[in-house]
Amino acid sequence: MPDEKPSRARGVDRVIDIFRQLHIARQPMAMRDLIDATGAPRSSVYELVSLLSEAGLVELDADGAVFFGREMHYYGADYMAHNDLIRRAHQLMVEIVARHGETVQLCMLEGNKYTVVLSESSNAHPFKITSDIGVRVPITWTATGRLLLSNWSDSAILDLIPEDDYRLASGQILDKQAFLDEIHHAGKLGYCMTEGLSESFTCCMAAPIRSRSGQAVAAICFMVSRDTSQERRQMLLQELITSGQKLSDFT
């Protein structure tokens, strides 16, 4: 049999998996739950958590549950300060929420899913959405996903999307050709709007943020109620288009 991965590399993989499981849980995890979730040996998880705790990357609460530590916040803040698109998008999104009181998000592709990178909501009118920051969501479920693939070929799109992701949250099976047509139509329009795909009561509208070569590298979107008037929808959509164009200048 070929040699297994060196122990140091396995250790790095396990650290990454610990971070991933904590992110999925989005709350402190008991050690036994973390061991079950990672599938790593009990002794390895205890040793790694101890090392990570000493470095401030994780913290243990009074009950011994594990969660991200203060150092992780510092690293995240450094990333936001360094990444020009993220920094400018955050500032712009705060201004948008102040003007309109709607949930606004910045999304990007991550493998064969997309993730919410930033999300801002009004405290006065919070709107519960299905995806939180960093959670991987099927590309087929929103207007955002369609825009992020708008420069892709049909064959590349079909190769990317897992078969299970054509099943929407409602249980409906999305027709592949209809999905491709929607992607190309969104690319031509320069925006996309969908209703009831991820939640029956939501409308998702999005505009692309493009690189200098014209590739959609991100999308900015509103998640609003389906009973939002057409007049307000058009106003919000224009806000997104304008914001996407502004942010495209910095990619």
Side-chain angles (χ1 to χ4, degrees):
M1 294 179 61
D3 292 338
E4 293 184 359
K5 184 180 290 189
S7 59
R8 180 174 295 182
R10 288 201 305 272
V12 172
D13 287 344
R14 286 169 182 165
V15 167
I16 293 170
D17 202 18
I18 287 171
F19 289 159
R20 182 178 294 115
Q21 296 304 326
L22 292 176
H23 175 66
I24 291 171
R26 305 186 73 82
Q27 62 182 4
M29 295 182 70
M31 286 295 293
R32 64 179 179 276
D33 295 331
L34 190 56
I35 291 167
D36 290 342
T38 60
R42 178 186 180 89
S43 59
S44 294
V45 175
Y46 270 94
E47 180 182 6
L48 289 171
V49 167
S50 177
L51 291 171
L52 293 170
S53 178
E54 291 175 8
L57 295 171
V58 301
E59 295 175 355
L60 280 71
D61 64 18
D63 297 322
V66 184
F67 200 53
F68 293 116
R70 188 181 300 174
E71 285 292 320
M72 297 294 279
H73 167 70
Y74 298 151
Y75 297 152
D78 290 342
Y79 176 75
M80 286 192 65
H82 171 74
N83 187 293
D84 201 36
L85 173 59
I86 301 296
R87 179 171 53 83
R88 291 179 181 276
H90 179 255
Q91 179 181 357
L92 186 58
M93 290 164 65
V94 170
E95 295 171 359
I96 290 172
V97 171
R99 283 197 298 272
H100 303 298
E102 300 284 1
T103 295
V104 61
Q105 297 183 326
L106 179 76
C107 303
M108 296 180 176
L109 288 178
E110 183 176 326
N112 60 11
K113 301 288 191 291
Y114 83 86
T115 59
V116 177
V117 180
L118 294 174
S119 183
E120 293 292 330
S121 300
S122 167
N123 291 329
H125 302 287
F127 189 79
K128 178 61 181 173
I129 55 176
T130 57
S131 53
D132 294 315
I133 291 175
V135 175
R136 300 173 78 238
V137 178
I139 293 170
T140 54
W141 284 17
T142 65
T144 300
R146 286 156 174 76
L147 281 175
L148 291 173
L149 297 181
S150 58
N151 296 104
W152 290 48
S153 67
D154 287 359
S155 59
I157 293 169
L158 293 175
D159 287 342
L160 177 71
I161 305 295
E163 194 67 29
D164 289 346
D165 286 2
Y166 290 101
R167 182 181 295 275
L168 302 178
S170 64
Q172 174 190 349
I173 304 297
L174 186 64
D175 180 77
K176 293 180 182 179
Q177 187 57 55
F179 177 58
L180 294 173
D181 291 344
E182 290 168 1
I183 290 172
H184 299 315
H185 186 59
K188 291 178 181 177
L189 290 177
Y191 64 85
C192 188
M193 187 183 303
T194 58
E195 293 192 41
L197 294 184
S198 59
E199 295 270 3
S200 61
F201 53 85
T202 63
C203 169
C204 175
M205 57 183 74
I209 299 168
R210 299 190 183 278
S211 66
R212 296 182 187 277
S213 65
Q215 181 73 32
V217 297
I220 185 168
C221 73
F222 280 124
M223 297 290 285
V224 301
S225 171
R226 288 185 73 175
D227 61 11
T228 301
S229 70
Q230 288 298 322
E231 181 180 8
R232 181 166 175 79
R233 288 189 188 196
Q234 291 304 312
M235 181 272 293
L236 293 174
L237 187 59
Q238 188 55 55
E239 176 79 69
L240 291 178
I241 293 170
T242 301
S243 298
Q245 291 171 346
K246 287 180 180 178
L247 293 171
S248 294
D249 293 339
F250 300 101
T251 58

